[in-house]
Amino acid sequence: MATQIVALYLTPTFECIGVRCKFSGDANQNAIATLEYRPSGSTYWIPTTEMRVDRRAAVISQGSTIANPYANEWRASIVGLRRDTEYEVMVTIQDPDGVVGSPISGPIRTWSHDETQGLGPTYYVAPGASGGDGSLSRPWSLAYAEGRAQPGDSYLLLPGEYGSQTFIRSGVAGNPITYAPQNLANPPTFSGQITLNCRHVRLKGFRHPSGGTLIQNATWNILEAFEQSRRGITLQGEVTGTLIQDCYIHDITENPPNGFERAGIYRRQGTIGGVVIRHNNFAQCWDGIGGEGNFRLDGGYPDSDIHDNHIENVSDDGIEAEGSGLNTRIWNNTLINCFNADLGLASIIIGPTYVFRNLAVVTDPAIGQNGYKLGGNQSKGHLLIYHNTSYYTTGRQGFTDAGGKSAGNIGNISSRNNIMQARNRVIASWGTPSSFDNTVSFDYDNLYKPTGGYQDSYAVWDGGYYNFAQFRAGKPSQEVHGMSVDSQFVDPASSNFQLRETSPLVDAGQVILGFNDPDSAWPYVGSAPDIGAFELGVYVPPTPTPVLLTLEVAGNGTTDPPSGNYEYPRDSAVTLTAIPTAHHKFAGWTGSIVSLENPLMVTLTGDLSIVANFTSIIFIVAIAAEPGGSTDPASGSYQHQEGSQVTVIALPSAGYYFVEWQEGGLPIGTGNPLVFVVDADRSITAVFALISIPPGQFGVSITVLGQGTTTPVPGTYTVVENSPLTVVAAPVQGWRFAGWQGDVSGTNPSITVQVTRDLSIVAVFTEQPPSVSVGKILAGAALFATLVAMLRRH
Amino acid sequence: MPDLSITLKEEEIAQVVALLPEVLREELALKLEEAIRLLLAEVP
């Protein structure tokens, strides 16, 4: 009972991806599958088109029951994608009995050859030319040019009649061979048949008034801007990657090459590979776009896109996409006065086929027949009909079983958000019991039949004739959310089928993933999608709420932008720069982001609070004293901030004198004290020497601390034993003598000692406090005297 | 914290001083006399 995923098949076009997820098991048929995708590199999986399951062991092709080659698959198309873009696609299957291999995902790139240009040289071609060199003045013949063509070549065809031509030589992917008019105002004419049996060839701008075009076993070719008449274009054999665009295909009165109907574009049965038919203009054909394999598994337009075509005044179907219908997408086409049907969809054998946002209009009173011809061979491949607008003022019926009217042979059709405005029946199912089985579902549509017209009844179903109320009451699962009202188009007479703002269809549709949700290419405006092909209003993506950046500074420094609160659009990239003040360094970002990078680039996916941290630059000052003295501060290692001032005093012991400061064994000065500003690690040593003393004499060192001097001046002296030595201390301006240290003491600036041993005499000066006026001193003394009087009063 | 910027009148200072023990009052008086001597010594 469990499901096992077997394989995931992804088939792209420029704007769509066909998805097939093959599975085994799930005999009790209770699994469900969901489809998601994302542009490669994105982290957000976009939920998209509902997957449809195909468990049929057999299908009916051309009246015979044959094995279903697509049995046991979940399938869907992702639509509205970007060309030349890498996507990842993921299918997730849930089965209460267990799943093996889910989810399954894979990469796929959408097509890009529509914009590929040849990289090679350009040559010129003229009818009947010979012996030239391919230049404008000496062009080649087309037969010669085609026979020598290399990938990347471009051939410009001078005006004239070229007859027929078979194109055999191929370009390569990314480097096609191009044939185009030399004079756009006077394009080359081909009265005979044009045959493509080549790859990566681009034919552009030919007048082709007679012979028809056969694209046979030819892949990745582009046919564009043809004016094609009398005979149409046939697709046959392997034609993967064929793009037919911007052509005017009209007045097709003869069968196209190998074709059996006078279609504008005709696809033969058994033809392989997806094609894209877009932006063409069809008029006066049999089918606009059709083919021969209507009831065959190998017919139709599998893995193909038919979109943005204008099809007018054709004799049979506007677009006849019958056959396998495997991942066929038909959208944005305009179908005007197509005689037999707008869309021939009888039947879809494999599916799913998506028909969406097409406009069909019939105003020619001679035209009745069917809008959507549904059918009809019991195979019941899925057909999804979304957001189409149909407007018929004639006897045309809406959705009909014209492709097969026997009971119960039409199924797996969902109609949503469509407008079907007809003066005949909007739904016509003639089988009894109904040809529509209970898997045919109409809902959220506006199926409107104004009073009067060609028939009284709104719908025929199951042998009964109904008005709208009776239809809903009699078919309780149909159009539960639907309506039957005037759509209020802006101006049908001018082919403007936009809704008026007052239309009850505005915001009355159903959200359909992939086709109208905000992540789709057709995001709805308002509270819900509008019914019909044209959404009212312009979609404005929601303004993302801004994100808040809070920037703070800790320590001595600034930032760019400066600290504060800032609002930015979500997903903005902001560069933050930390700028330390002098003698400080940047120590990293903290808060929402921890990083040492500077500058720091942040992407604001949410609110951020970031602190720029700065710290002082610290250096180590190592102080040492060699024998014979000490230092103040004492020997050791000290931390100092960069830029701070350090004072080191050398204090010689008795009998020694201070010689110099050294660093790294080299002298750096003799001043004492040593004063310096810290800008690096330092290792400073005070060097002392023994005072050299003759016999009968003693060594006396005189040292000054602070700012002042002595008489005799500071230095080392030898003094005869027992003789008196007088030293006088004299401060500089702003300093005063504070006393003697070393081997002497006292505060009298003049001192006399009897030298009976080695002496170290240190005169200490201290900075004078700020001067105070005599008046203030006397006032202070008076205040104290007052206090004394008070203290004594008690 | 008390407001240190309050200016006391002379009789108010007397009221505060009266709160001190007598021994401490004498001690303070002697120290203040010493301070007065030192201050006056600074006067040129």
Side-chain angles (χ1 to χ4, degrees):
Chain A
M1 294 295 191
T3 300
Q4 164 122 34
I5 291 183
V6 175
L8 178 65
Y9 301 105
L10 304 173
T11 307
T13 56
F14 299 108
E15 297 174 59
C16 302
I17 297 170
V19 182
R20 294 167 46 214
C21 182
K22 217 162 188 65
F23 65 92
S24 62
D26 193 29
N28 59 353
Q29 306 191 0
N30 63 347
I32 53 168
T34 51
L35 178 60
E36 295 165 285
Y37 74 101
R38 62 186 181 188
S40 293
S42 165
T43 54
Y44 172 60
W45 287 103
I46 302 167
T48 191
T49 321
E50 179 192 346
M51 298 201 85
R52 300 281 168 151
V53 70
D54 181 354
R55 307 180 196 274
R56 299 166 299 172
V59 293
I60 297 168
S61 177
Q62 219 179 8
S64 305
T65 299
I66 61 169
N68 178 8
Y70 304 98
N72 292 327
E73 289 184 354
W74 288 93
R75 288 194 295 271
S77 284
I78 308 171
V79 298
L81 300 174
R82 294 195 302 272
R83 61 178 295 284
D84 195 17
T85 303
E86 177 107 353
Y87 289 96
E88 291 174 82
V89 175
M90 178 164 71
V91 174
T92 306
I93 293 184
Q94 291 169 288
D95 185 339
D97 310 305
V99 187
V100 179
S102 175
I104 185 168
S105 64
I108 189 77
R109 192 170 192 89
T110 48
W111 289 352
S112 61
H113 60 286
D114 56 340
E115 291 184 12
T116 308
Q117 303 295 329
L119 306 172
T122 298
Y123 302 102
Y124 294 87
V125 172
S130 67
D133 58 7
S135 65
L136 181 58
S137 55
R138 300 182 62 217
W140 285 322
S141 69
L142 179 56
Y144 179 82
E146 202 283 331
R148 68 170 301 284
Q150 298 294 321
D153 286 357
S154 290
Y155 295 95
L156 298 182
L157 275 61
L158 277 69
E161 165 60 51
Y162 285 83
S164 60
Q165 180 67 43
T166 298
F167 293 88
I168 295 170
R169 295 184 65 84
S170 297
V172 296
N175 203 19
I177 300 171
T178 303
Y179 299 89
Q182 180 264 336
N183 180 351
L184 288 173
N186 195 355
T189 301
F190 289 74
S191 292
Q193 181 172 318
I194 292 173
T195 305
L196 283 82
N197 185 211
C198 50
R199 298 186 302 120
H200 299 289
V201 169
R202 187 168 193 143
L203 302 184
K204 182 174 181 178
F206 293 2
R207 282 190 66 238
H208 195 197
S210 179
T213 304
L214 175 63
I215 301 173
Q216 178 174 13
N217 297 324
T219 54
W220 306 107
N221 299 299
I222 299 176
L223 210 69
E224 68 182 309
F226 268 44
E227 186 191 345
Q228 180 101 20
S229 53
R230 191 159 178 258
R231 289 187 172 89
I233 300 165
T234 298
L235 297 161
Q236 180 171 336
E238 155 88 55
V239 295
T240 303
T242 298
L243 169 62
I244 301 173
Q245 64 179 358
D246 303 324
C247 295
Y248 177 34
I249 300 171
H250 64 100
D251 296 290
I252 305 298
T253 56
E254 306 282 334
N255 293 340
N258 295 3
F260 307 116
E261 284 178 346
R262 295 172 277 115
I265 295 176
Y266 186 87
R267 184 180 171 111
R268 291 210 59 192
Q269 66 188 39
T271 296
I272 300 167
V275 301
V276 172
I277 300 169
R278 66 185 186 190
H279 303 288
N280 300 287
N281 192 347
F282 298 79
Q284 282 86 36
C285 310
W286 178 246
D287 292 323
I289 299 167
E292 94 186 281
N294 297 8
F295 301 100
R296 295 175 57 107
L297 183 68
D298 60 357
Y301 286 85
D303 294 313
S304 296
D305 298 340
I306 299 172
H307 66 96
D308 292 286
N309 298 286
H310 182 96
I311 302 175
E312 188 156 357
N313 291 325
V314 300
S315 309
D316 192 31
D317 300 343
I319 298 169
E320 184 191 54
E322 300 171 345
S324 85
L326 169 68
N327 281 319
T328 302
R329 284 85 45 167
I330 300 169
W331 77 94
N332 271 22
N333 299 287
T334 304
L335 305 150
I336 310 288
N337 288 325
C338 296
F339 187 85
N340 189 37
D342 299 311
L343 286 138
L345 302 163
S347 67
I348 305 304
I349 298 173
I350 300 300
T353 288
Y354 299 89
V355 179
F356 57 104
R357 295 193 188 274
N358 299 286
L359 171 67
V361 178
V362 173
T363 54
D364 181 344
I367 298 177
Q369 309 292 61
N370 317 284
Y372 283 64
K373 188 171 69 177
L374 310 173
N377 74 352
Q378 302 179 337
S379 284
K380 302 179 184 174
H382 285 270
L383 172 59
L384 297 314
I385 304 171
Y386 300 144
H387 277 294
N388 300 282
T389 291
S390 297
Y391 178 80
Y392 308 141
T393 62
T394 74
R396 170 157 289 196
Q397 299 180 120
F399 297 100
T400 79
D401 60 356
K405 297 175 181 171
S406 52
N409 77 339
I410 298 174
N412 286 324
I413 296 175
S414 285
S415 169
R416 295 287 184 277
N417 300 349
N418 296 292
I419 297 171
M420 177 60 74
Q421 182 159 333
R423 302 189 69 207
N424 206 329
R425 298 178 184 93
V426 291
I427 296 176
S429 169
W430 294 100
T432 308
S434 174
S435 42
F436 292 170
D437 72 12
N438 61 9
T439 61
V440 175
S441 168
F442 290 88
D443 205 357
Y444 289 93
D445 300 308
N446 178 36
L447 309 184
Y448 175 56
K449 180 186 175 306
T451 310
Y454 292 79
Q455 300 290 340
D456 290 337
S457 56
Y458 167 93
V460 55
W461 190 307
D462 239 356
Y465 296 86
Y466 302 96
N467 63 27
F468 178 61
Q470 291 165 339
F471 176 66
R472 281 213 297 199
K475 303 287 160 209
S477 62
Q478 301 298 342
E479 292 299 355
V480 173
H481 308 90
M483 55 182 87
S484 183
V485 295
D486 180 3
S487 299
Q488 297 188 26
F489 296 122
V490 171
D491 187 4
S494 310
S495 297
N496 186 340
F497 293 92
Q498 302 271 350
L499 301 176
R500 295 174 190 270
E501 285 180 21
T502 53
S503 169
L505 278 56
V506 172
D507 296 351
Q510 184 181 32
V511 175
I512 304 168
L513 278 183
F515 290 86
N516 61 20
D517 66 285
D519 284 324
S520 75
W522 302 270
Y524 66 84
V525 182
S527 59
D530 299 348
I531 293 173
F534 308 104
E535 179 77 15
L536 182 68
V538 177
Y539 176 72
V540 179
T543 310
T545 39
V547 294
L548 185 67
L549 171 66
T550 305
L551 197 55
E552 290 175 71
V553 164
N556 290 49
T558 58
T559 55
D560 179 22
S563 58
N565 297 325
Y566 299 93
E567 280 191 350
Y568 289 95
R570 191 171 294 274
D571 297 324
S572 307
V574 177
T575 302
L576 308 178
T577 307
I579 306 153
T581 51
H583 312 309
H584 291 76
K585 62 181 179 184
F586 176 60
W589 307 98
T590 55
S592 308
I593 292 177
V594 177
S595 170
L596 287 170
E597 262 181 68
N598 191 25
L600 176 69
M601 178 92 89
V602 294
T603 302
L604 296 166
T605 54
D607 291 348
L608 290 182
S609 179
I610 298 178
V611 182
N613 296 279
F614 299 95
T615 55
S616 307
I617 299 175
I618 299 291
F619 291 112
I620 305 294
V621 176
I623 299 170
E626 288 202 339
S630 60
T631 55
D632 180 15
S635 295
S637 286
Y638 300 88
Q639 292 188 347
H640 289 279
Q641 287 185 18
E642 185 187 63
S644 58
Q645 182 172 294
V646 172
T647 301
V648 188
I649 303 164
L651 299 165
S653 305
Y656 289 82
Y657 65 98
F658 170 67
V659 177
E660 64 185 3
W661 302 101
Q662 287 186 359
E663 185 159 22
L666 298 171
I668 58 164
T670 56
N672 190 22
L674 174 68
V675 179
F676 59 93
V677 173
V678 177
D679 59 359
D681 289 340
R682 302 294 297 267
S683 181
I684 291 161
T685 302
V687 179
F688 303 94
L690 197 60
I691 299 169
S692 167
I693 306 163
Q697 297 191 9
F698 292 108
V700 177
S701 72
I702 302 173
T703 307
V704 163
L705 294 182
Q707 294 187 23
T709 188
T710 53
T711 308
V713 296
T716 55
Y717 300 90
T718 53
V719 180
V720 176
E721 186 175 4
N722 279 326
S723 60
L725 170 66
T726 298
V727 184
V728 179
V732 297
Q733 182 77 34
W735 291 66
R736 65 179 186 182
F737 178 65
W740 300 100
Q741 290 184 359
D743 295 324
V744 292
S745 62
T747 56
N748 192 325
S750 176
I751 190 171
T752 302
V753 291
Q754 286 296 118
V755 179
T756 57
R757 56 183 179 92
D758 292 338
L759 291 176
S760 174
I761 297 171
V762 179
V764 180
F765 299 96
T766 57
E767 206 166 358
Q768 257 180 340
S771 64
V772 180
S773 70
V774 171
K776 282 184 181 162
I777 295 171
L778 292 175
L783 170 65
F784 291 171
T786 307
L787 282 168
V788 169
M790 284 181 191
L791 290 163
R792 290 261 167 76
R793 193 173 298 157
H794 295 276
Chain B
M1 285 288 283
D3 183 356
L4 297 176
S5 66
I6 290 171
T7 306
L8 297 180
K9 294 180 182 142
E10 200 173 312
E11 60 268 30
E12 290 169 331
I13 298 172
Q15 288 164 8
V16 174
V17 166
L19 297 172
L20 297 173
E22 194 175 343
V23 177
L24 185 52
R25 287 206 295 269
E26 181 54 25
E27 214 170 303
L28 276 171
L30 290 172
K31 291 280 184 195
L32 283 169
E33 283 172 338
E34 169 75 16
I36 291 165
R37 274 193 297 279
L38 286 169
L39 285 177
L40 293 177
E42 290 287 336
V43 177

